[in-house]
Amino acid sequence: MTFELPADVQAKNASLCGEFNQWKPTAHPMKQRKDGRFSTTIPLEAGRTYRFRYYLDGQRWENDWAADGYAPNGFGTEDSLVKL
């Protein structure tokens, strides 16, 4: 599964965090493309729904603007959902 984050987030660094990596910011760093977008591809099991978010510049969380859905989390915000 490929995850992409647009350049509009105006970040220098981005990481993909979610249930699939125990929300560890160092597990899936994203590569910045020439046009400013960030992306990464990771293997995920089909037939499941995963919670995830992006961690930007080691200080702020961002949801995926094109997620399959959103679900409340225990921090008073929402997590993005991807359904495979």
Side-chain angles (χ1 to χ4, degrees), residues 38-56:
F38 289 90
S39 68
T40 192
T41 301
I42 63 169
L44 291 175
E45 183 181 331
R48 293 192 52 195
T49 298
Y50 296 91
R51 289 176 176 255
F52 72 98
R53 294 188 88 187
Y54 301 109
Y55 192 52
L56 307 178

Side-chain angles (χ1 to χ4, degrees), residues 14-18 21-30 40 55 58 61:
S15 295
L16 173 64
C17 303
N21 64 14
Q22 291 73 49
W23 297 92
K24 293 181 183 175
T26 56
H28 294 105
M30 300 180 79
T40 192
Y55 192 52
W61 292 96

Side-chain angles (χ1 to χ4, degrees), residues 1-6 14 16 28-33 35-42 54:
M1 171 76 193
T2 297
F3 293 84
E4 290 188 351
L5 189 58
L16 173 64
H28 294 105
M30 300 180 79
K31 182 176 181 178
Q32 190 168 27
R33 305 298 176 189
D35 64 2
R37 289 179 303 127
F38 289 90
S39 68
T40 192
T41 301
I42 63 169
Y54 301 109

Side-chain angles (χ1 to χ4, degrees), residues 50-53 62-64 67 69-71 78-82:
Y50 296 91
R51 289 176 176 255
F52 72 98
R53 294 188 88 187
E62 183 75 39
N63 276 337
D64 190 315
Y70 303 93
E78 293 183 324
D79 295 332
S80 298
L81 300 176
V82 61

